[in-house]
């Protein structure tokens, strides 16, 4: 690295939370709050791990663990084991200047020094003496782009760097409205944007839940019958009231936390219970006993709930199994039925043949005997049907 | 902003592993706090054959505050308020039981689950809940009728 370059360290800041990772990291290394790999990992008393910044934000809003809702205070939060910190710091990230063109990827703990000292796309101070402008490092050696030149249209002074940008607002030029694509002189564009009939805007009560949005020209029609707009004054009032109540609630909770420690340590608890006879602290003992009892009940409740859930799952499984068994049984019966039917058919054929051959042997005649044999066979057919029915009944049984 | 990053990630995760019967996406590309959700009525329920659209609004304090879920399609259901808001009552969506570690996909799964089986203990529409408990035929009839009328 040349000395002239190292003297131009980049001041571009790196937001570790916004980094993109080369491969998606193990779910165990993700913070339950921001769902990104942990940054400065800390551990709670209930053994959950969060980013230091995330849990602080969460504790500002609620004194409970964001995972299991157990009571939690700043004092219950300690740095996570160094191994976890090492694991997340070694994850490979892509350079934050990737969109500008940098293809570097490196361990997360190195990314700040990459930006500060190496990245060709990080912004550094302009090389020209006396110039305060910033350029990308790869262009730092080129000519200064911060000198002012004259605009060809309005004759105003513009930095070389900003010429393109200036054309969008130069008072002598026109630009197109993004919404209606009509062209307006730049000075009038801002005013037009406030009234452009084609811009898609949300209902005035969108923050109260109305999901309607339409072109500005058509919104009035909606506003005239939108229930949310009609309710806005009262909803506003309620929001304000809820906010004050929340503030009050927070203050009260803080006071309460001072009076009653949210979760006494087990040793304190047993000590307090054993000295229950002591009059001076009996009130205190009552509350800790109550707490003890509540926690006990709560854990029992949790246990019961998980039991019920497990039983439910088992029942569902059994149901499925039973359905399958019934289905299989049905198939088997079907097969058996077909077998029985085939057997009966065989019997029928034999019977038919036997009857016919006996008739023939008995009468010997062809004319009237033939007719009788037809009647006989149909009678035997009835008998057969009956026997099939009875077999069917037997199968059903 | 941390919330935007997390929501974007959750959206990507949802598109890679969608929940059966649920489709969801941003209402507009430039705002990750507003999602459009479509639930299809599950087979065997009185909502079968219906298509229900919902709005999922994420507060700017997400994930520290819970999202809200509103049916824009009218639905006859013990856990959905029978008014213009159509807000879905889900235990986890109440701010006192919401946990920042909950994910949007879990909320959507639960919403889909409630179509299969309403939760009468957590009902907003107590009269519908009573009907569901005591007179299931009449409940199913109305629910099916509404599905045919509003959710086709
Ligand atoms: Zn915890
Ligand atoms: Zn985090
Ligand atoms: Zn770089
Ligand atoms: Zn310069
Ligand atoms: Zn100009
Ligand atoms: Zn316009
Ligand atoms: Zn509206």
């Amino acid at each position: 690295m040349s000395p002239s370059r190292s003297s131009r360290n980049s001041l571009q800041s790196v937001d570790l939370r916004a980094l993109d990772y080369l491969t998606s990291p193990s779910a165990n290394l993700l913070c339950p709050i921001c769902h990104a790999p942990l940054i400065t990992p800390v551990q709670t008393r209930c053994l959950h791990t969060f980013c230091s910044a995330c849990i602080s934000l969460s504790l500002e809003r609620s004194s409970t663990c964001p995972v299991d809702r157990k009571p939690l205070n700043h004092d219950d939060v300690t740095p996570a084991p160094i191994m976890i910190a090492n694991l997340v710091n070694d994850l490979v990230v892509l350079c934050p200047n990737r969109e500008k063109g940098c293809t570097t990827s490196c361990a997360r703990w190195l990314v700040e020094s990459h930006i500060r000292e190496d990245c060709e796309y990080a912004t550094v101070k302009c090389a020209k003496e006396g110039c305060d402008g910033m350029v990308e490092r790869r262009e730092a050696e080129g000519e200064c782009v911060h000198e002012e030149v004259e605009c060809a249209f309005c004759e105003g002074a513009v930095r070389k760097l900003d010429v393109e940008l200036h054309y969008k607002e130069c008072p002598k030029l026109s630009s197109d409205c993004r919404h209606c694509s009509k062209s307006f002189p730049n000075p009038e564009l801002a005013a037009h944007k406030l009234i452009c009939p084609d811009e898609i805007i949300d209902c005035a009560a969108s923050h109260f839940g109305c999901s309607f949005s339409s072109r500005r020209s058509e919104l009035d029609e909606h506003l005239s019958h939108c229930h949310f707009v009609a309710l806005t004054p009262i909803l506003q009032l309620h929001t304000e009231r809820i906010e004050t109540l929340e503030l009050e609630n927070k203050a009260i909770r803080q006071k309460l936390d001072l009076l009653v420690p949210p979760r006494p340590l087990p040793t304190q608890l047993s000590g307090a219970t054993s000295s229950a006879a002591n009059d001076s602290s009996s009130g205190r003992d009552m509350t800790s006993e109550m707490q003890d009892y509540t926690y006990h009940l709560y854990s029992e409740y949790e246990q019961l709930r998980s039991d019920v859930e497990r039983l439910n799952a088992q029942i569902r499984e059994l149901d499925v199994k039973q359905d399958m068994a019934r289905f299989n049984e049905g198939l088997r019966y079907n097969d058996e039925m077909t077998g029985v039917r085939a057997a009966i058919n065989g019997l029928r054929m034999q019977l038919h043949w036997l009857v016919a051959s006996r008739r023939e042997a008995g009468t010997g005649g062809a004319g009237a005997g033939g007719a009788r044999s037809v009647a006989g066979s149909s009678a035997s057919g009835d008998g057969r049907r009956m026997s099939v029915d009875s077999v069917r009944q037997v199968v059903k049984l | 902003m941390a919330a935007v990053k997390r929501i974007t990630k959750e959206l990507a995760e949802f598109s890679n592993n969608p929940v059966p019967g649920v489709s969801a996406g941003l209402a507009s590309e430039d705002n990750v706090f507003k999602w459009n959700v479509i639930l299809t009525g599950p087979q065997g329920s009185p909502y079968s054959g219906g298509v229900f659209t919902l709005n999922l609004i994420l507060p700017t304090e997400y994930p520290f505050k819970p999202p809200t879920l509103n049916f824009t399609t009218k639905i006859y259901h013990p856990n959905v308020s029978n008014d213009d808001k159509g807000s879905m009552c889900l235990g986890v969506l109440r701010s006192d039981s919401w946990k920042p570690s909950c994910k949007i996909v879990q909320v959507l799964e639960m919403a889909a689950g409630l179509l299969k089986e309403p939760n009468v203990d957590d009902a907003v529409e107590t009269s519908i809940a009573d009907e569901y408990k005591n007179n299931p035929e009449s409940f199913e009839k109305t629910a099916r009728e509404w599905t045919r009328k509003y959710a086709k």
Side-chain angles (χ1 to χ4, degrees):
Chain A
M1 196 182 302
S2 71
S4 75
R5 287 188 59 156
S6 64
S7 68
R8 263 190 266 107
N9 278 346
S10 173
L11 300 174
Q12 185 185 344
S13 64
V14 181
D15 180 4
L16 288 179
R17 290 160 164 280
L19 290 174
D20 289 312
Y21 292 76
L22 189 62
T23 52
S24 48
S26 148
N28 293 322
L29 296 178
L30 301 185
C31 163
I33 295 174
C34 62
H35 288 189
L38 293 155
I39 292 167
T40 332
V42 292
Q43 202 171 50
T44 61
R45 185 216 281 259
C46 45
L47 297 182
H48 291 113
T49 318
F50 304 95
C51 307
S52 163
C54 287
I55 192 66
S56 298
L57 264 179
S58 176
L59 286 175
E60 264 172 42
R61 283 157 224 264
S62 155
S63 304
T64 55
C65 169
V67 174
D68 54 23
R69 298 183 62 84
K70 285 189 183 149
L72 192 70
N73 274 307
H74 282 287
D75 304 335
D76 302 327
V77 177
T78 51
I82 191 75
M83 202 175 74
I84 297 180
N86 288 343
L87 280 175
V88 283
N89 284 335
D90 277 345
L91 292 172
V92 177
V93 297
L94 304 170
C95 173
N97 290 328
R98 189 164 42 110
E99 257 133 55
K100 294 190 201 159
C102 183
T103 54
T104 303
S105 57
C106 61
R108 193 175 76 183
W109 66 277
L110 287 171
V111 73
E112 276 166 318
S113 71
H114 164 71
I115 293 292
R116 197 171 52 241
E117 287 157 19
D118 295 328
C119 183
E120 290 294 326
Y121 298 84
T123 47
V124 296
K125 259 191 89 222
C126 177
K128 193 186 172 218
E129 222 168 298
C131 175
D132 284 337
M134 305 294 281
V135 287
E136 286 180 12
R137 181 176 276 121
R138 65 201 169 101
E139 288 163 349
E141 309 293 339
E143 64 169 64
C144 173
V145 289
H146 306 95
E147 279 167 13
E148 292 192 333
V149 293
E150 193 177 80
C151 168
F153 301 97
C154 66
E155 298 171 355
V158 191
R159 292 196 309 173
K160 240 185 212 167
L161 184 71
D162 300 333
V163 168
E164 285 297 315
L165 224 70
H166 167 77
Y167 286 157
K168 289 212 173 70
E169 48 197 46
C170 176
K172 295 284 179 197
L173 293 176
S174 299
S175 309
D176 289 347
C177 168
R178 249 182 335 124
H179 309 294
C180 62
S181 7
K182 281 187 196 131
S183 184
F184 292 90
N186 282 328
E188 289 167 32
L189 194 64
H192 165 76
K193 275 191 175 148
L194 294 176
I195 54 160
C196 175
D198 283 355
E199 188 183 355
I200 305 288
I201 49 176
D202 286 344
C203 167
S206 61
H207 54 296
F208 285 127
C210 182
S211 55
F212 186 87
S213 56
S214 72
R215 296 165 58 208
R216 181 177 274 114
S217 54
E218 287 154 8
L219 194 71
D220 275 344
E221 208 266 316
H222 166 76
L223 291 183
S224 63
H225 67 253
C226 174
H227 298 289
F228 292 98
V229 168
L231 285 172
T232 295
I234 194 145
L235 288 174
Q236 189 67 43
L237 207 73
H238 280 192
T239 320
E240 280 162 17
R241 199 174 286 171
I242 287 173
E243 270 164 17
T244 32
L245 284 176
E246 265 172 5
L247 276 178
E248 255 176 53
N249 196 331
K250 204 173 161 190
I252 291 173
R253 187 169 295 162
Q254 275 168 359
K255 268 187 209 160
L256 201 70
D257 280 352
L258 282 178
L259 289 172
V260 186
R263 202 174 49 160
L265 291 169
T267 49
Q268 279 176 350
L269 251 179
S270 61
T273 338
S274 69
S275 65
N278 193 331
D279 278 354
S280 63
S281 61
S282 66
R284 220 15 225 268
D285 292 338
M286 280 284 282
T287 48
S288 27
E289 234 164 28
M290 284 295 283
Q291 264 176 10
D292 193 15
Y293 190 50
T294 318
Y295 281 69
H296 178 71
L297 277 181
Y298 185 68
S299 64
E300 211 153 58
Y301 161 74
E302 282 292 335
Q303 216 168 356
L304 283 175
R305 199 163 68 163
S306 67
D307 277 351
V308 169
E309 261 161 23
R310 216 188 46 238
L311 285 175
N312 254 338
Q314 271 171 3
I315 290 176
R316 235 171 286 138
E317 214 177 281
L318 280 176
D319 258 343
V320 171
K321 267 191 200 152
Q322 215 167 28
D323 274 347
M324 274 310 286
R326 218 178 293 143
F327 183 61
N328 286 338
E329 199 97 17
L331 275 183
R332 220 171 39 120
Y333 278 136
N334 259 346
D335 285 347
E336 237 160 49
M337 276 292 288
T338 345
V340 169
R341 239 177 242 151
I344 288 171
N345 233 7
L347 284 175
R348 183 173 67 102
M349 298 299 277
Q350 278 175 7
L351 196 72
H352 192 80
W353 181 80
L354 273 175
V355 168
S357 61
R358 186 174 299 172
R359 285 274 158 80
E360 229 161 90
T363 59
R372 235 182 297 147
S373 108
V374 169
S377 76
S378 83
S380 77
D382 280 350
R384 192 194 72 238
R385 213 167 290 135
M386 262 171 65
S387 72
V388 168
D389 282 346
S390 59
V391 169
R392 248 183 219 148
Q393 259 158 16
V394 169
V395 170
K396 254 183 217 157
L397 285 173
Chain B
M1 206 155 73
V4 175
K5 180 103 181 158
R6 169 169 162 170
I7 297 169
T8 316
K9 205 170 160 206
E10 288 199 58
L11 181 65
E13 274 171 13
F14 180 83
S15 340
N16 291 336
N17 300 303
V19 179
V22 184
S23 53
L26 297 185
S28 70
E29 284 300 310
D30 51 358
N31 180 8
V32 297
F33 292 97
K34 219 161 130 184
W35 292 30
N36 283 339
V37 179
I38 296 173
L39 298 180
T40 40
Q43 289 289 317
S45 77
Y47 310 108
S48 155
V51 176
F52 301 88
T53 55
L54 297 87
N55 285 331
L56 178 83
I57 311 277
L58 298 152
T60 44
E61 293 97 329
Y62 184 79
F64 300 110
K65 288 205 172 161
T68 53
L69 203 53
N70 298 310
F71 273 79
T72 47
T73 308
K74 244 168 120 64
I75 181 170
Y76 193 73
H77 192 289
N79 301 100
V80 180
S81 68
N82 182 13
D83 54 18
D84 286 337
K85 276 188 125 172
S87 36
M88 176 150 231
C89 155
L90 270 179
V92 290
L93 291 185
R94 287 206 205 88
S95 44
D96 51 348
S97 47
W98 169 255
K99 292 188 284 193
S101 59
C102 284
K103 293 194 207 175
I104 297 170
V105 61
Q106 292 169 322
V107 171
L108 296 180
E109 272 169 359
M110 251 174 274
L114 279 186
L115 285 194
K116 269 195 207 104
E117 196 171 344
N119 178 352
V120 278
D121 301 324
D122 217 356
V124 265
E125 292 296 335
T126 44
S127 57
I128 302 182
D130 285 341
E131 190 188 8
Y132 175 80
K133 263 189 296 192
N134 304 322
N135 197 350
E137 287 88 23
S138 127
F139 164 80
E140 284 207 8
K141 190 166 163 271
T142 320
R144 200 162 282 137
E145 230 163 64
W146 281 37
T147 306
R148 198 175 330 112
K149 218 151 110 196
Y150 303 110
K152 288 286 171 179

